[in-house]
Amino acid sequence: MIKKIFFTPGPSELYPTVPDHYQEALNQKIGSISHRSRQFQDIYKQTTENLRELLQLPASYKILFLSSATEIWERILQNCVEKESFHCVNGSFSKRFYEFSQEMRRHALKSEAPFGEGFYPEKISIPDSTEAICLTQNETSSGVSMSVEDINRIREKSSSSLIFVDSVSSLPYPEFDFSKINSTYFSVQKCFGLPAGLGIWLLDTSCIEKAEKLQQEGLSIGTYHSIPALLEKARNNQTPETPNVMAIYLLGKVTEDMLRTGIREIRKETTRKAEKIYAYLKSSKTFTPAVQEVRHRSFTTIVANTLVPAPEINKALEAFDMQVGTGYGSHKERQIRIANFPAHSEEQMDKLLKTLNELFG
Ligand SMILES: *Cc1c(COP(=O)(O)O)cnc(C)c1O
């Protein structure tokens, strides 16, 4: 059995209860049940109720199951943008979403910050013609995050556009004011500690109304995964297609475990672990925090510049059954990324930092 702890930014370490939940799902033959059965509807209902409670999601928000966050990018553009979207781009994920808009022949606008830098809402100008403002709360490639306060400030600047927030590698950590945004989304292989293959889309009535409006105007908003098609089935605790039933089941179980710990405790522990990581990076001879501006530093995916090439770091960590993420894309060698997710216990994080300190100072 492999004992290695994955501090990679996603897929990452599984939530510690996942193997038991998997075994239980197999015992119950979850993989064979019909997605139109009462048993599935109960699983669906339980998972959405747990998520709603965990994230303190208002009743006006709907929860939809899709295949990935990448799919949700496309669905946002298809359903909620007829002509123009606006993107805050400061890394690979936010850039990719912007490119989707171009590929789909929308008028894609962007405000761009250099890799490793964040945004100052007062300096961003967004035209009134923009239908969707696309923000990335936690840019996993560079370790830059946008605070909830800054997101709310963008709302103040632009009351007429819908705001979509990519919180793929941060939820359930950020405590959003859901009345200041219109939608957020994530996939389960980051902070929820599950195998990949499920995207969760949270959206309010303005997004639904927008999709219906485009549809009524005779525009194509897609087929089985258009917002109206998803909602029609969601009302019955179902999905249009045969979904990843296993993942929906496991998400229900892991959110139940998280509720038992409590969201406040999860957030407190995440903050505590992140502070330890940054304290170590500050004192280290090999590593320095990659994000200079303290208020833009991510607490869930921490990126550090390294004097020792990242693959060598992982080679040395192998003997201790640990692995961190290498830098993203062209930063592969000179940066490491440390995931600080709810699945990573404080004890495991302490051990990682102690080991890095002993190996590299
Ligand atoms: C991982 C990630 C995505 C893509 O998620 P998929 O599940 O691969 O579609 C999008 N945005 C951010 C910020 C991510 O970290």
Side-chain angles (χ1 to χ4, degrees):
M1 199 165 120
I2 294 173
K3 285 186 299 176
K4 184 151 96 184
I5 310 288
F6 286 82
F7 292 94
T8 45
S12 192
E13 186 63 16
L14 296 183
Y15 203 71
T17 53
V18 167
D20 285 346
H21 293 317
Y22 238 103
Q23 190 56 54
E24 181 58 23
L26 293 173
N27 294 348
Q28 289 190 28
K29 301 194 92 169
I30 295 294
S32 305
I33 67 169
S34 163
H35 59 297
R36 301 289 173 233
S37 66
R38 176 64 199 270
Q39 193 184 352
F40 173 73
Q41 288 173 302
D42 289 344
I43 291 169
Y44 184 115
K45 185 160 175 281
Q46 191 64 59
T47 302
T48 52
E49 283 175 4
N50 291 354
L51 264 177
R52 201 173 277 286
E53 192 181 337
L54 186 74
L55 302 176
Q56 294 143 317
L57 195 65
S60 57
Y61 268 72
K62 303 288 181 202
I63 300 174
L64 300 173
F65 295 115
L66 292 90
S67 69
S68 66
T70 304
E71 184 193 354
I72 296 169
W73 287 339
E74 184 167 305
R75 301 307 173 202
I76 289 169
L77 295 164
Q78 250 175 346
N79 282 268
C80 300
V81 180
E82 181 186 354
K83 297 195 174 84
E84 184 176 298
S85 61
F86 184 96
H87 303 255
C88 285
V89 175
N90 63 339
S92 312
F93 291 100
S94 44
K95 179 157 176 270
R96 195 73 194 101
F97 191 6
Y98 165 75
E99 289 167 353
F100 272 29
S101 184
Q102 292 180 312
E103 285 175 37
M104 292 171 76
R105 306 283 180 263
R106 267 45 168 197
H107 184 216
L109 301 172
K110 68 177 165 176
S111 170
E112 199 158 10
F115 193 84
E117 290 183 27
F119 293 96
Y120 298 89
E122 60 278 11
K123 290 189 189 155
I124 300 173
S125 83
I126 303 166
D128 284 340
S129 51
T130 290
E131 297 159 85
I133 301 169
C134 305
L135 307 174
T136 304
Q137 198 276 326
N138 194 74
E139 178 45 85
T140 320
S141 61
S142 61
V144 175
S145 79
M146 185 179 265
S147 69
V148 170
E149 292 71 32
D150 281 352
I151 291 172
N152 295 348
R153 261 177 224 129
I154 289 180
R155 163 55 76 212
E156 281 157 27
K157 290 171 69 91
S158 179
S159 55
S160 60
S161 315
L162 297 172
I163 296 185
F164 293 89
V165 182
D166 178 329
S167 50
V168 176
S169 56
S170 54
L171 266 185
Y173 183 62
E175 194 173 350
F176 289 120
D177 179 345
F178 287 102
S179 70
K180 300 270 168 67
I181 61 175
N182 301 99
S183 172
T184 185
Y185 51 95
F186 62 91
S187 35
V188 295
Q189 76 276 19
K190 312 272 166 99
C191 296
F192 285 83
L194 289 168
L198 187 66
I200 314 292
W201 191 6
L202 315 174
L203 76 186
D204 76 0
T205 43
S206 322
C207 303
I208 298 167
E209 285 163 9
K210 177 77 186 202
E212 287 169 350
K213 179 170 169 280
L214 298 189
Q215 193 172 43
Q216 277 156 19
E217 285 171 7
L219 298 164
S220 167
I221 54 169
T223 57
Y224 75 113
H225 272 184
S226 70
I227 291 176
L230 284 158
L231 279 176
E232 194 190 315
K233 290 294 182 190
R235 269 192 279 279
N236 246 336
N237 295 313
Q238 290 181 3
T239 52
E241 81 290 24
T242 320
N244 188 340
V245 178
M246 191 67 158
I248 295 171
Y249 171 87
L250 291 172
L251 180 61
K253 290 296 169 188
V254 163
T255 46
E256 191 181 316
D257 297 331
M258 287 180 166
L259 282 168
R260 210 170 292 126
T261 305
I263 188 66
R264 283 171 65 110
E265 186 51 41
I266 290 173
R267 286 173 176 152
K268 256 169 45 192
E269 191 180 281
T270 303
T271 305
R272 214 159 51 223
K273 288 183 295 170
E275 282 168 351
K276 284 185 181 177
I277 298 169
Y278 282 115
Y280 165 63
L281 296 179
K282 215 175 139 195
S283 71
S284 170
K285 288 197 285 286
T286 304
F287 306 106
T288 48
V291 179
Q292 298 308 312
E293 177 70 82
V294 173
R295 60 183 265 233
H296 290 157
R297 284 179 185 166
S298 168
F299 270 35
T300 52
T301 57
I302 289 113
V303 180
N305 296 326
T306 172
L307 296 174
V308 178
E312 281 179 38
I313 306 276
N314 271 332
K315 218 176 179 96
L317 284 175
E318 220 172 76
F320 299 86
D321 291 317
M322 289 187 275
Q323 184 183 339
V324 295
T326 55
Y328 198 90
S330 60
H331 304 270
K332 188 174 168 53
E333 297 270 328
R334 43 171 292 267
Q335 291 190 332
I336 59 163
R337 292 180 300 156
I338 303 173
N340 175 34
F341 295 160
H344 301 110
S345 70
E346 194 155 0
E347 200 187 338
Q348 288 168 342
M349 196 57 83
D350 289 343
K351 189 169 164 230
L352 172 70
L353 300 180
K354 185 165 168 278
T355 308
L356 286 174
N357 188 36
E358 282 166 11
L359 290 169
F360 304 103

